[in-house]
Amino acid sequence: MAKAVLEHEWRVDAALDDVFRHLADPNSYIGLSPLVVTVRDVKMAVDERDRPVLDYVAVERFKFLRKLRWHNAIKVRMRTLPDQSKLAQSVKSPGGVRLESTVELVADGDGTRILERIDLSMPAPLKGFVTGQARSVQLFRAAELARRMSRS
């Protein structure tokens, strides 16, 4: 298995609580990721430590050669940490791709600074594709979240 780590930091013009609420809602990821087109099967559960988690399926749409489309259903487990400033997501995708994402929110004046770390694990032949897609989505998500949270 190949591994990669992606880190990104950015700021949005919104209060930490507002950003947290937005990111803690699975439906917010439709359009927040350019690949996610549907969220379904959202269920509250508990993890192995008896902590509350949110399990859901996000459907990603990949386009190849302009005409071919592939829908990739990924299983997501979202955990919020007790201080309401961190979210963690674990993703299991077909093909042996695994993703662990941690988002930390830090109050920054009247806005919020966001620090995101993505740990990827995938079969070696998929490393270039998976890492490229994950980085592209990470940067898109930062720009889209900043747009959504802007005070106009």
Side-chain angles (χ1 to χ4, degrees), residues 59-92:
V59 179
E60 299 175 314
R61 178 182 295 147
F62 289 92
K63 294 179 186 176
F64 301 99
L65 304 173
R66 297 185 187 188
K67 292 186 180 189
L68 299 175
R69 291 184 181 166
W70 176 46
H71 289 103
N72 185 40
I74 57 175
K75 294 179 182 177
V76 182
R77 171 162 278 186
M78 182 187 297
R79 299 172 307 285
T80 58
L81 300 182
D83 64 0
Q84 296 278 318
S85 67
K86 285 188 182 178
L87 292 142
Q89 294 189 62
S90 300
V91 175
K92 292 183 180 178

Side-chain angles (χ1 to χ4, degrees), residues 109-126:
D110 62 351
T112 303
R113 197 163 26 98
I114 300 162
L115 300 91
E116 181 179 47
R117 177 186 168 110
I118 299 174
D119 290 274
L120 296 162
S121 174
M122 71 238 80
L126 297 178

Side-chain angles (χ1 to χ4, degrees), residues 116-142:
E116 181 179 47
R117 177 186 168 110
I118 299 174
D119 290 274
L120 296 162
S121 174
M122 71 238 80
L126 297 178
K127 184 176 183 181
F129 176 75
V130 170
T131 303
Q133 288 291 311
R135 182 62 173 168
S136 176
V137 167
Q138 184 181 48
L139 296 176
F140 181 95
R141 183 173 44 252

Side-chain angles (χ1 to χ4, degrees), residues 25-43:
D25 178 357
N27 290 299
S28 294
Y29 291 87
I30 298 169
L32 192 56
S33 164
L35 301 176
V36 175
V37 294
T38 305
V39 170
R40 64 176 193 239
D41 304 331
V42 178
K43 297 178 185 132

